[in-house]
Amino acid sequence: LACAAVAVGLAGATPSGPSDIFTIANFTGVAAARRGSADNVLYEEGFGSLDYRGFVPMPADAHFPVASNTKVYVAISLYQLQERGLVNLSRPVQDYLGPSDYAAWGYPEMTTYCPTV
């Protein structure tokens, strides 16, 4: 909803609810959820449309391909961990990963991370 709200603000329109945001900003839709824990859903709702034509309502449990967008979240998370002293980004990644990590990712024979450049 943050992206839609920014788009609406730039357009100078005043929405009266979530549905208006998508109409005014030409925004397709979004699914929002907030969890207190893994088993405790505090809020869950879909807004707008799942398809760009607007024929399929957005379900609250919609899945989206995130692709490259995850890079931003990973980078921010790593910097926050560094600020807290939990990780040092100047150290090699193999200082933080062990054989059990590689096995969990499906590479049981790998013991260290060595990228090919």
Side-chain angles (χ1 to χ4, degrees):
L1 287 177
C3 293
V6 169
V8 170
L10 293 174
T14 305
S16 61
S19 298
D20 288 349
I21 291 173
F22 302 117
T23 302
I24 294 168
N26 195 22
F27 192 83
T28 306
V30 66
R34 170 123 169 95
R35 295 183 184 272
S37 65
D39 298 327
N40 181 19
V41 177
L42 301 175
Y43 173 81
E44 188 176 66
E45 190 168 354
F47 299 99
S49 301
L50 186 60
D51 66 328
Y52 71 93
R53 291 188 178 118
F55 298 134
V56 181
M58 179 68 68
D61 64 348
H63 292 252
F64 301 94
V66 293
S68 294
N69 294 326
T70 59
K71 290 181 224 174
V72 174
Y73 298 109
V74 170
I76 291 170
S77 298
L78 284 170
Y79 279 113
Q80 289 175 336
L81 290 170
Q82 182 168 269
E83 285 177 345
R84 295 177 189 162
L86 300 173
V87 70
N88 181 343
L89 297 179
S90 298
R91 299 189 58 107
V93 70
Q94 62 202 23
D95 288 356
Y96 299 98
L97 302 176
S100 62
D101 296 309
Y102 301 116
W105 297 326
Y107 299 99
E109 70 287 343
M110 185 181 273
T111 57
T112 61
Y113 176 76
C114 183
T116 304
V117 181

